[in-house]
Amino acid sequence: MTDTAGQGGGGGFRDGAQDGFRGGEPGGFQGEGPGASEEPSLRERRAAALRGARRVLSRAGWRGTLRERLAHLQEAAPGVYDLDEPTDLYGDRIVAALEERVAALLGTEAAAFFPTGTMAQQVALRCWAARTGNPVVALHALGHPERHERHALSQVAGLRPVILTTEHRQPTAAEVAEFPEPFGTLMLELPLRDAGFLLPTWEELTETVEAARERDAVVHFDGARLWESTVRLGRPLEEIAGLADSVYVSFYKSLGGFGGAALAGPTSLIEEARTWRHRYGGTVFQQFPTVLSALVGLDRELPRLPEYVHHARVIATALREALATAGLPWSRVHPEEPHTHEFQVWLPYDPDTAAEAAIRQAEETGTMLFANAWDTAGPGLTTTEVTVTEAGLIWTPEDVKRAVTEFAERVRLLKD
């Protein structure tokens, strides 16, 4: 049985919808989000334990109550936009202001707000297909459209995805250069979430993009979490985005917004994308609550993401050492040095054992080391995701080691 019941398949990475790790929420699996199929008692216990815990590594806003979410927005909104301005209608005013800000941050000519990233990327890729005359999109087997969108690229957009690699790493320049058939668009997910939030080096990224250019293909970045990629890549956002012909970014995965996404690129592409956005039903009457929350995220969370990334590396090192010291027969922190402020932990247990131990620790000690659901990663293996944000900055390596000891004690009690 798996902590994220109802997912099916094997090996821990499966087709579906933040899903193999499935689930639309930031830093969590299918069992954490609305409409999840995890057993209610386990999901509810985890949620209650997290709300009651005094010490956590991350306290995501989306897990809060309606009252908490609205109170936060009411407190923060006056600092990011003039609330005496008229509300938006079909994408003007505050929506346009957000679009201009995103274009400036990414160094692109224009940007368009979309209600979802799935819609934004379908629109971008079908626009490029029409321009290149080639409907083939080359991407990783673990890329979001392949894993989490129910084959929308082929079923809705009329595109043909082809797989560059199934390895748990970023595609290489050689794989792009040597792919045995033409493709119109190369799509790179930065970071590649289902492989462990992995990023290439800057040199690897530029070589891969150049390999696509030599094949006369355009390049699109799935940058849902591009915001926190600057530390690993060692370049500002506009330089990273400048490698691609178009970029998608999310406002809720790392910035804590209510939802929403933006597609950024040349003006002619964005104007065409607005037309398709309307056709897809994405030109919404009013969107100011979501847009306000996005502006708050850009002001408050974006500047702090590098700090989260650096501290995630401290936490990961302490976790790796503590898991070994605790005498667990096999464990892994992946990657050993996180590329972003999120990473994976792998343990040699079934998901329910790990989940129960994590929840009991929170219920009994007030410390929740592992707040996300666990998923089957293979026979006798389970994995979870760890996110480090503001709440985790107070954790020292000693705090991590103490928490791991408490967690391991409860695992052993369950296995005895």
Side-chain angles (χ1 to χ4, degrees), residues 3 31-32 36 38-52 359 363 368:
D3 183 24
E32 299 295 329
E38 185 185 76
E39 292 182 9
S41 59
L42 190 60
R43 184 176 68 247
E44 291 169 2
R45 282 181 61 208
R46 179 184 292 111
L50 180 58
R51 289 185 63 80
I359 292 169
E363 292 171 339
M368 194 159 203

Side-chain angles (χ1 to χ4, degrees), residues 38-378:
E38 185 185 76
E39 292 182 9
S41 59
L42 190 60
R43 184 176 68 247
E44 291 169 2
R45 282 181 61 208
R46 179 184 292 111
L50 180 58
R51 289 185 63 80
R54 297 184 302 276
R55 296 180 66 84
V56 295
L57 289 170
S58 177
R59 203 176 290 280
W62 58 265
R63 283 184 164 123
T65 64
L66 290 171
R67 183 181 302 278
E68 290 166 344
R69 295 289 269 165
L70 289 172
H72 174 70
L73 184 62
Q74 186 176 28
E75 177 271 324
V80 299
Y81 196 79
D82 184 356
L83 301 187
D84 290 323
E85 288 290 315
T87 58
D88 58 302
L89 295 174
Y90 295 115
D92 65 358
R93 296 168 180 156
I94 189 173
V95 180
L98 175 62
E99 293 171 339
E100 292 173 5
R101 182 161 182 191
V102 170
L105 283 168
L106 299 179
T108 59
E109 292 180 354
F113 182 80
F114 280 78
T116 72
T118 297
M119 184 187 296
Q121 298 208 108
Q122 279 191 51
V123 165
L125 295 173
R126 72 181 303 155
C127 287
W128 285 126
R131 290 171 178 229
T132 63
N134 188 332
V136 178
V137 179
L139 72 165
H140 197 290
L142 298 179
H144 198 278
E146 278 298 281
R147 298 298 308 283
H148 310 315
E149 297 176 14
R150 304 194 180 190
H151 309 292
L153 293 187
S154 58
Q155 297 299 310
V156 179
L159 304 172
R160 183 163 70 88
V162 294
I163 302 305
L164 289 166
T165 180
T166 59
E167 297 292 326
H168 286 209
R169 54 164 172 74
Q170 287 283 343
T172 65
E175 287 165 339
V176 172
E178 298 166 8
F179 195 75
E181 64 174 297
F183 53 86
T185 304
L186 169 66
M187 180 177 183
L188 296 175
E189 183 176 326
L190 302 175
L192 186 58
R193 184 263 179 95
D194 280 2
F197 304 93
L198 297 184
L199 287 162
T201 64
W202 178 253
E203 292 72 20
E204 290 167 342
L205 180 58
T206 55
E207 289 170 1
T208 302
V209 169
E210 181 58 31
R213 302 276 187 234
E214 291 176 358
R215 298 189 58 144
D216 296 322
V218 298
V219 178
H220 171 76
F221 287 169
D222 176 342
R225 297 174 173 83
L226 192 71
W227 308 114
E228 60 263 37
S229 300
T230 56
V231 176
R232 161 79 171 176
L233 294 175
R235 297 294 191 281
L237 282 169
E238 62 268 22
E239 191 171 350
I240 299 169
L243 291 178
D245 296 285
S246 59
V247 180
Y248 141 68
V249 290
S250 171
F251 296 117
Y252 76 89
K253 288 183 170 66
S254 303
L255 300 182
F258 292 175
L263 176 65
T267 300
S268 61
L269 175 78
I270 299 306
E271 288 306 311
E272 183 181 355
R274 294 180 194 278
T275 297
W276 278 105
R277 181 182 65 186
H278 200 164
R279 290 168 176 161
Y280 270 67
T283 305
V284 180
F285 178 53
Q286 288 193 317
Q287 300 173 97
F288 66 89
T290 300
V291 173
L292 272 174
S293 71
L295 289 169
V296 170
L298 289 173
D299 264 28
R300 293 193 171 191
E301 286 300 297
L302 181 58
R304 304 201 68 182
L305 288 175
E307 183 181 13
Y308 300 164
V309 175
H310 288 300
H311 200 63
R313 295 174 177 177
V314 174
I315 299 296
T317 298
L319 266 173
R320 188 172 63 251
E321 295 173 354
L323 287 168
T325 302
L328 298 180
W330 183 94
S331 62
R332 184 176 183 184
V333 173
H334 176 70
E336 288 192 358
E337 181 178 90
H339 294 183
T340 72
H341 64 303
E342 299 181 275
F343 55 92
Q344 296 172 349
V345 171
W346 295 55
L347 294 176
Y349 302 107
D350 63 275
D352 283 351
T353 296
E356 183 66 27
I359 292 169
R360 286 189 186 183
Q361 179 182 8
E363 292 171 339
E364 295 167 5
T365 72
T367 294
M368 194 159 203
L369 178 62
F370 300 116
N372 290 320
W374 295 80
D375 194 40
T376 300

Side-chain angles (χ1 to χ4, degrees), residues 361-413:
Q361 179 182 8
E363 292 171 339
E364 295 167 5
T365 72
T367 294
M368 194 159 203
L369 178 62
F370 300 116
N372 290 320
W374 295 80
D375 194 40
T376 300
L381 291 177
T382 187
T383 184
T384 191
E385 293 177 345
V386 175
T387 301
V388 178
T389 58
E390 182 180 17
L393 295 178
I394 64 171
W395 285 58
T396 66
E398 290 70 29
D399 293 329
V400 174
K401 293 171 185 176
R402 187 180 307 110
V404 168
T405 299
E406 295 171 347
F407 172 77
E409 290 171 352
R410 285 157 180 80
V411 168
R412 291 193 186 93
L413 285 173

